[in-house]
Amino acid sequence: MDSLQLAGWCAVAIFAIGLLGVIVRRNVLVMLMCMELMLNAVNLSLVVFAQRGDPAAATVLVFLVFVVAAAEIAIAIPIVLLLVRRKRSLDLGQYAELHG
């Protein structure tokens, strides 16, 4: 098994851990961290793609994933802070009345 294949399997494992954390955990901040973990796994798989395939296309995709990750943090963290100030809890079950 070469290093690129190992990095690909590592990306799959990291993504699976992040997905499991989003599904299982009820804490909003932990869920946000797990989503960031999933985005980092996607970046790792895109680096593997850049080594095996077209580096220009992979570079553009990595940049786009970084932009999405930065936007997620820039928007989600202030929203979570406002919700915590209102409910005094990070448990997702406390925010059931926010459903449309």
Side-chain angles (χ1 to χ4, degrees):
M1 180 180 285
D2 65 338
S3 62
L4 289 178
Q5 213 172 14
L6 183 63
W9 283 110
C10 184
V12 169
I14 292 171
F15 189 87
I17 291 169
L19 183 64
L20 184 68
V22 169
I23 292 172
V24 172
R25 298 300 298 232
R26 302 294 295 172
N27 189 323
V28 178
L29 288 179
V30 172
M31 291 175 71
L32 284 173
M33 287 189 298
C34 289
M35 284 189 259
E36 285 294 320
L37 194 64
M38 292 167 57
L39 288 171
N40 286 331
V42 169
N43 274 335
L44 181 59
S45 66
L46 288 172
V47 168
V48 171
F49 172 66
Q51 293 294 319
R52 294 209 185 239
D54 185 17
T59 303
V60 170
L61 290 174
V62 166
F63 178 72
L64 289 175
V65 171
F66 277 139
V67 168
V68 168
E72 174 201 357
I73 291 300
I75 293 171
I77 294 296
I79 292 172
V80 168
L81 288 175
L82 287 173
L83 290 174
V84 167
R85 282 184 188 165
R86 179 172 288 183
K87 292 287 187 179
R88 303 268 186 233
S89 173
L90 289 172
D91 185 29
L92 202 58
Q94 297 286 327
Y95 306 113
E97 74 272 359
L98 294 178
H99 286 86

